[in-house]
Amino acid sequence: MSLIEREIRTSDLDLICHHRFEMFRDIGAPLSKIEEMIVEFRKWLNPRLHSGEYFGFILEENGKPAGGIGLSIIDWAPHVLHPKEHLRGYISNVYVEHHCRRQGIASRLMELGEAELKGRGATLVVLHASDAGREIYDKSGWKQSSEMIKHV
């Protein structure tokens, strides 16, 4: 397989929304919630694509997207895990098209993403993993954290 790596473009809005939709469908989220979320995600994403706050990579095979990864930098208070820095990298929307899976695309996306975030000064990187992605993250040295969540 011959893959071409490229940076996300502002014209990738529909593709990124498609990847996010399919990612949540793959993990079994209710379709009505995904549809509701995608409307708001599109509104959120568009200005961030244009400003460069949301960036990342697309891997293409024969001119068609095989997968993508979204990245951002979060201004975060220094912490014991990164006591001298105030930046965290955030990885989101890691998605590989079904027909392209099990070919190392997700691992390559993660390598690109981690290198880009490090290059932008983030010494700690976080993500929220699905069960399907956990094996890839475990193999590349990611660790579970103590994060908790609550809707208020």
Side-chain angles (χ1 to χ4, degrees):
M1 172 181 4
S2 177
L3 293 173
I4 294 175
E5 301 169 359
R6 68 169 178 83
E7 292 182 4
I8 284 176
R9 304 175 187 133
T10 57
S11 60
D12 290 320
L13 177 66
D14 289 339
L15 175 62
I16 297 165
C17 290
H18 161 73
H19 282 173
R20 189 167 177 89
F21 184 97
E22 294 300 325
M23 179 183 69
F24 279 103
R25 184 158 61 177
D26 284 353
I27 63 173
L31 192 55
S32 62
K33 290 288 188 185
I34 300 171
E35 290 168 345
E36 181 181 19
M37 177 267 306
I38 285 297
V39 169
E40 297 305 315
F41 177 70
R42 178 180 295 278
K43 292 179 201 173
W44 175 89
L45 179 61
N46 192 34
R48 286 164 179 81
L49 276 173
H50 285 277
S51 71
E53 291 173 77
Y54 185 98
F55 51 98
F57 298 93
I58 303 293
L59 294 185
E60 295 179 341
E61 178 185 32
N62 300 322
K64 297 190 182 210
I69 186 170
L71 308 168
S72 53
I73 299 285
I74 302 169
D75 188 10
W76 197 271
H79 185 278
V80 295
L81 297 175
H82 52 107
K84 295 183 179 183
E85 295 87 20
H86 65 92
L87 300 177
R88 281 191 183 190
Y90 189 75
I91 294 176
S92 60
N93 302 322
V94 178
Y95 185 77
V96 176
E97 298 288 346
H98 286 268
H99 67 281
C100 296
R101 292 184 179 174
R102 300 280 178 215
Q103 298 176 44
I105 293 172
S107 294
R108 181 62 187 144
L109 288 166
M110 291 299 295
E111 289 170 4
L112 289 168
E114 289 174 29
E116 181 69 19
L117 291 167
K118 183 177 180 180
R120 292 183 184 221
T123 60
L124 181 74
V125 180
V126 296
L127 60 76
H128 290 89
S130 67
D131 289 340
R134 220 171 287 285
E135 179 182 343
I136 292 164
Y137 307 132
D138 287 345
K139 284 181 181 178
S140 62
W142 285 78
K143 304 290 181 218
Q144 281 278 50
S145 74
S146 61
E147 185 173 80
M148 299 175 73
I149 189 168
K150 179 182 179 181
H151 289 269
V152 294

